[in-house]
Amino acid sequence: KDKGCELRRRAKFDDFVLDDDGRVVGVTIREEYRFDDKLYSDDLENTSGTKKTLKANKGVVLAAGGFCRDKAFRKLQDPRIPDDVDSTNHPGATAGALLKAFEIGAYPVQVDWIQFGPWASPDEKGFGTAPILTQQGTFKYGIAVDIRTGKRFMNELADRKTRADAEFKILREKPGAYPITFADTKMAFKDLSEEIIQKGMGSGKIVGECATLDDIAKKYGVPADALKETVKKYNEGVKAKKDEFGKQESALSEINEAGPFYVIRLSPKPHHTMGGLKINTKAEVISSKTNKPIPGLYAAGEITGGTHGASRLGTVAITDCIV
Ligand SMILES: Cc1cc2nc3c(=O)[nH]c(=O)nc-3n(C[C@H](O)[C@H](O)[C@H](O)COP(=O)(O)OP(=O)(O)OC[C@H]3O[C@@H](n4cnc5c(N)ncnc54)[C@H](O)[C@@H]3O)c2cc1C
């Protein structure tokens, strides 16, 4: 407001208006637009709202975010993502605005680098509570196991990409065979607030409670002997201060083999899109036709690409949004 901007709700950006020299001089929008998350592609199918053209005084800043919820576009970029996989992002995280920028010649950068949350659960919607219960709980004080073999398959504290790729490998070999993570109840959530624990346990769907390793095996369809052997081996690694998957020594603590246990199923959910529009240090969008800025077009936030590499570190996306 201080800078003379007017905030408009229910205004959908549809396209750019260019002058004869290719400068972005405005946008077409639809007012009173209603997003419809029941559509397969809101960008392509939703015709609501009244069309209007807006003239830009100085330029247009595109800040339409990432595309984690765009089922069609995300699958084209990374075929591992089935349509029924939920995202941690909001329903409006679609690729329509990004595609419009590509149409006028903006350079795409690393568009297929989609980050997944390896700590998410298929048993709740969106981001939910599981990411906290796993990251600050069972991943730290327990292990993750492939239910088909009863064996560990990753360093539970590796970077997001390494863990999500490991989970995807299992789910592509056997769709629906969600890996599990568990720790004994004494340790599992000891660093978490009562409020978070209650939120996670409250629904009765996210956290399974099992008295013994045999109960885990029965409930989640894991080979029991292999599971027991895995926990034994993990504890031996803890004692020797050497983990077979390279889990950090400071995070190694023994699992009480006698139980009881808290168990959470894992599903890598699309969380952030690292790729997008190529910009320069002035946030000008670079054209693939000239390798120079597209006059009048700027971009900021998750719609830009190339800043984070293949695996964005947690907490650093906010810097993208500073114009
Ligand atoms: C659950 C979760 C937790 C996160 N935690 C962190 C964290 O702790 N630290 C961190 O740094 N990052 C975090 N991130 C990432 C970070 O929040 C995002 O990258 C950042 O918020 C993106 O901001 P943005 O303004 O670019 O996009 P968004 O916040 O996605 O905003 C884009 C807006 O544009 C709208 N839009 C899209 N298309 C159109 C169109 N055609 N017309 C009109 N409007 C449109 C969208 O509906 C949306 O409102 C997290 C992300 C998620 C999902």
Side-chain angles (χ1 to χ4, degrees), residues 232-261:
K232 192 166 156 258
K233 197 171 167 193
Y234 178 74
N235 283 343
E236 282 166 8
V238 173
K239 277 191 204 116
K241 296 188 177 165
K242 192 164 171 43
D243 181 65
E244 66 170 318
F245 287 92
K247 198 170 177 181
Q248 294 82 331
E249 197 185 310
S250 58
L252 292 176
S253 62
E254 276 189 60
I255 298 170
N256 180 357
E257 293 173 47
F261 302 96

Short mmCIF file of all heavy atoms in Angstrom, two decimals, residues 232-261:
data_model
loop_
_atom_site.label_atom_id
_atom_site.label_comp_id
_atom_site.label_asym_id
_atom_site.label_seq_id
_atom_site.Cartn_x
_atom_site.Cartn_y
_atom_site.Cartn_z
N LYS A 232 18.14 -55.05 16.00
CA LYS A 232 19.34 -55.54 16.70
C LYS A 232 20.60 -54.95 16.04
O LYS A 232 21.49 -54.42 16.71
CB LYS A 232 19.36 -57.08 16.60
CG LYS A 232 20.36 -57.75 17.50
CD LYS A 232 20.04 -59.26 17.56
CE LYS A 232 21.29 -60.02 17.94
NZ LYS A 232 21.95 -60.68 16.84
N LYS A 233 20.62 -55.02 14.72
CA LYS A 233 21.77 -54.52 13.97
C LYS A 233 21.95 -53.00 14.17
O LYS A 233 23.06 -52.50 14.32
CB LYS A 233 21.55 -54.82 12.48
CG LYS A 233 22.79 -54.75 11.63
CD LYS A 233 22.46 -55.28 10.25
CE LYS A 233 23.55 -54.94 9.27
NZ LYS A 233 23.16 -55.16 7.90
N TYR A 234 20.82 -52.29 14.18
CA TYR A 234 20.87 -50.83 14.37
C TYR A 234 21.48 -50.52 15.75
O TYR A 234 22.37 -49.68 15.88
CB TYR A 234 19.47 -50.23 14.26
CG TYR A 234 19.43 -48.74 14.49
CD1 TYR A 234 19.90 -47.85 13.52
CD2 TYR A 234 18.93 -48.20 15.68
CE1 TYR A 234 19.89 -46.48 13.73
CE2 TYR A 234 18.90 -46.83 15.89
CZ TYR A 234 19.38 -45.98 14.92
OH TYR A 234 19.37 -44.62 15.13
N ASN A 235 21.01 -51.24 16.76
CA ASN A 235 21.51 -51.00 18.12
C ASN A 235 23.00 -51.33 18.23
O ASN A 235 23.73 -50.65 18.96
CB ASN A 235 20.70 -51.82 19.14
CG ASN A 235 19.34 -51.17 19.41
OD1 ASN A 235 19.14 -50.00 19.11
ND2 ASN A 235 18.42 -51.94 19.96
N GLU A 236 23.43 -52.35 17.51
CA GLU A 236 24.87 -52.68 17.51
C GLU A 236 25.66 -51.53 16.90
O GLU A 236 26.73 -51.16 17.39
CB GLU A 236 25.12 -53.97 16.72
CG GLU A 236 24.74 -55.23 17.50
CD GLU A 236 24.67 -56.48 16.62
OE1 GLU A 236 25.04 -56.41 15.43
OE2 GLU A 236 24.20 -57.51 17.14
N GLY A 237 25.10 -50.96 15.83
CA GLY A 237 25.74 -49.81 15.18
C GLY A 237 25.82 -48.62 16.12
O GLY A 237 26.80 -47.87 16.13
N VAL A 238 24.76 -48.43 16.92
CA VAL A 238 24.74 -47.32 17.89
C VAL A 238 25.87 -47.51 18.89
O VAL A 238 26.63 -46.58 19.18
CB VAL A 238 23.38 -47.26 18.62
CG1 VAL A 238 23.42 -46.21 19.73
CG2 VAL A 238 22.25 -46.94 17.63
N LYS A 239 25.98 -48.75 19.39
CA LYS A 239 27.04 -49.04 20.39
C LYS A 239 28.42 -48.81 19.79
O LYS A 239 29.31 -48.26 20.42
CB LYS A 239 26.91 -50.49 20.86
CG LYS A 239 25.87 -50.66 21.95
CD LYS A 239 25.98 -52.05 22.58
CE LYS A 239 24.65 -52.43 23.21
NZ LYS A 239 24.02 -53.59 22.60
N ALA A 240 28.57 -49.22 18.53
CA ALA A 240 29.88 -49.09 17.86
C ALA A 240 30.10 -47.68 17.31
O ALA A 240 31.15 -47.38 16.74
CB ALA A 240 29.98 -50.11 16.73
N LYS A 241 29.07 -46.82 17.43
CA LYS A 241 29.10 -45.45 16.90
C LYS A 241 29.37 -45.44 15.40
O LYS A 241 30.09 -44.58 14.88
CB LYS A 241 30.14 -44.60 17.63
CG LYS A 241 29.81 -44.40 19.09
CD LYS A 241 30.73 -43.42 19.73
CE LYS A 241 30.31 -43.21 21.17
NZ LYS A 241 31.27 -42.59 21.98
N LYS A 242 28.82 -46.44 14.71
CA LYS A 242 29.01 -46.50 13.26
C LYS A 242 27.72 -47.06 12.64
O LYS A 242 27.40 -48.25 12.81
CB LYS A 242 30.21 -47.40 12.93
CG LYS A 242 30.62 -47.27 11.48
CD LYS A 242 32.01 -47.84 11.27
CE LYS A 242 32.40 -47.95 9.81
NZ LYS A 242 32.07 -46.85 8.97
N ASP A 243 27.02 -46.19 11.94
CA ASP A 243 25.74 -46.60 11.36
C ASP A 243 25.94 -47.04 9.92
O ASP A 243 26.67 -46.40 9.16
CB ASP A 243 24.75 -45.43 11.41
CG ASP A 243 23.40 -45.82 10.83
OD1 ASP A 243 22.75 -46.69 11.44
OD2 ASP A 243 23.03 -45.29 9.78
N GLU A 244 25.27 -48.13 9.53
CA GLU A 244 25.49 -48.67 8.17
C GLU A 244 25.05 -47.70 7.08
O GLU A 244 25.53 -47.76 5.95
CB GLU A 244 24.81 -50.03 7.99
CG GLU A 244 23.31 -49.98 8.04
CD GLU A 244 22.63 -51.29 7.62
OE1 GLU A 244 23.08 -51.92 6.64
OE2 GLU A 244 21.65 -51.66 8.28
N PHE A 245 24.12 -46.77 7.37
CA PHE A 245 23.69 -45.79 6.37
C PHE A 245 24.31 -44.41 6.60
O PHE A 245 23.92 -43.44 5.97
CB PHE A 245 22.16 -45.68 6.34
CG PHE A 245 21.51 -46.88 5.72
CD1 PHE A 245 21.11 -47.95 6.50
CD2 PHE A 245 21.33 -46.96 4.34
CE1 PHE A 245 20.53 -49.08 5.93
CE2 PHE A 245 20.75 -48.08 3.76
CZ PHE A 245 20.35 -49.14 4.55
N GLY A 246 25.23 -44.34 7.54
CA GLY A 246 25.93 -43.07 7.77
C GLY A 246 25.14 -42.07 8.59
O GLY A 246 25.39 -40.86 8.51
N LYS A 247 24.17 -42.54 9.38
CA LYS A 247 23.43 -41.62 10.25
C LYS A 247 24.42 -40.96 11.22
O LYS A 247 25.31 -41.63 11.75
CB LYS A 247 22.37 -42.40 11.03
CG LYS A 247 21.27 -41.56 11.63
CD LYS A 247 20.16 -42.48 12.16
CE LYS A 247 19.07 -41.72 12.83
NZ LYS A 247 18.01 -42.60 13.34
N GLN A 248 24.22 -39.67 11.42
CA GLN A 248 25.16 -38.90 12.21
C GLN A 248 25.33 -39.50 13.60
O GLN A 248 24.34 -39.83 14.26
CB GLN A 248 24.67 -37.45 12.34
CG GLN A 248 24.65 -36.70 11.03
CD GLN A 248 23.41 -36.97 10.18
OE1 GLN A 248 22.83 -38.03 10.24
NE2 GLN A 248 23.04 -36.00 9.37
N GLU A 249 26.59 -39.56 14.04
CA GLU A 249 26.90 -40.20 15.33
C GLU A 249 26.12 -39.55 16.47
O GLU A 249 25.61 -40.22 17.36
CB GLU A 249 28.41 -40.08 15.57
CG GLU A 249 28.92 -41.03 16.63
CD GLU A 249 30.39 -40.79 16.93
OE1 GLU A 249 31.19 -40.72 15.98
OE2 GLU A 249 30.71 -40.66 18.13
N SER A 250 25.99 -38.20 16.40
CA SER A 250 25.32 -37.49 17.49
C SER A 250 23.83 -37.85 17.59
O SER A 250 23.18 -37.59 18.59
CB SER A 250 25.46 -35.98 17.28
OG SER A 250 24.91 -35.64 16.03
N ALA A 251 23.30 -38.44 16.51
CA ALA A 251 21.86 -38.77 16.51
C ALA A 251 21.63 -40.26 16.76
O ALA A 251 20.51 -40.75 16.59
CB ALA A 251 21.24 -38.37 15.19
N LEU A 252 22.67 -40.96 17.14
CA LEU A 252 22.49 -42.41 17.34
C LEU A 252 22.10 -42.71 18.78
O LEU A 252 22.84 -42.40 19.71
CB LEU A 252 23.79 -43.15 16.98
CG LEU A 252 24.19 -43.14 15.50
CD1 LEU A 252 25.53 -43.83 15.31
CD2 LEU A 252 23.13 -43.81 14.64
N SER A 253 20.92 -43.28 18.94
CA SER A 253 20.53 -43.74 20.28
C SER A 253 19.80 -45.07 20.15
O SER A 253 19.08 -45.29 19.16
CB SER A 253 19.66 -42.71 20.99
OG SER A 253 18.47 -42.51 20.26
N GLU A 254 20.00 -45.92 21.13
CA GLU A 254 19.45 -47.28 21.03
C GLU A 254 17.92 -47.29 21.06
O GLU A 254 17.30 -46.48 21.74
CB GLU A 254 19.98 -48.13 22.18
CG GLU A 254 21.34 -48.72 21.90
CD GLU A 254 21.76 -49.72 22.96
OE1 GLU A 254 21.04 -50.73 23.13
OE2 GLU A 254 22.79 -49.48 23.61
N ILE A 255 17.36 -48.23 20.32
CA ILE A 255 15.91 -48.45 20.36
C ILE A 255 15.65 -49.57 21.38
O ILE A 255 16.33 -50.60 21.35
CB ILE A 255 15.40 -48.90 18.97
CG1 ILE A 255 15.66 -47.81 17.93
CG2 ILE A 255 13.92 -49.26 19.02
CD1 ILE A 255 15.42 -48.25 16.50
N ASN A 256 14.69 -49.35 22.25
CA ASN A 256 14.33 -50.40 23.21
C ASN A 256 13.57 -51.51 22.47
O ASN A 256 12.41 -51.32 22.09
CB ASN A 256 13.47 -49.80 24.33
CG ASN A 256 13.07 -50.86 25.35
OD1 ASN A 256 13.39 -52.05 25.19
ND2 ASN A 256 12.38 -50.44 26.39
N GLU A 257 14.25 -52.63 22.28
CA GLU A 257 13.67 -53.70 21.45
C GLU A 257 12.38 -54.26 22.03
O GLU A 257 11.56 -54.85 21.32
CB GLU A 257 14.69 -54.85 21.28
CG GLU A 257 15.89 -54.42 20.46
CD GLU A 257 17.00 -55.47 20.41
OE1 GLU A 257 16.68 -56.65 20.18
OE2 GLU A 257 18.17 -55.09 20.62
N ALA A 258 12.19 -54.06 23.33
CA ALA A 258 10.99 -54.62 23.98
C ALA A 258 9.73 -53.79 23.69
O ALA A 258 8.62 -54.24 23.91
CB ALA A 258 11.22 -54.70 25.48
N GLY A 259 9.93 -52.55 23.21
CA GLY A 259 8.79 -51.69 22.92
C GLY A 259 8.24 -51.03 24.17
O GLY A 259 8.91 -51.06 25.21
N PRO A 260 7.04 -50.45 24.16
CA PRO A 260 6.15 -50.30 22.99
C PRO A 260 6.67 -49.24 22.01
O PRO A 260 7.60 -48.51 22.32
CB PRO A 260 4.83 -49.87 23.62
CG PRO A 260 5.21 -49.19 24.89
CD PRO A 260 6.46 -49.86 25.38
N PHE A 261 5.98 -49.16 20.84
CA PHE A 261 6.48 -48.30 19.76
C PHE A 261 5.39 -47.39 19.20
O PHE A 261 4.21 -47.73 19.21
CB PHE A 261 6.98 -49.18 18.59
CG PHE A 261 8.06 -50.15 18.99
CD1 PHE A 261 7.75 -51.46 19.32
CD2 PHE A 261 9.38 -49.74 19.05
CE1 PHE A 261 8.74 -52.35 19.70
CE2 PHE A 261 10.38 -50.62 19.42
CZ PHE A 261 10.06 -51.93 19.75
#
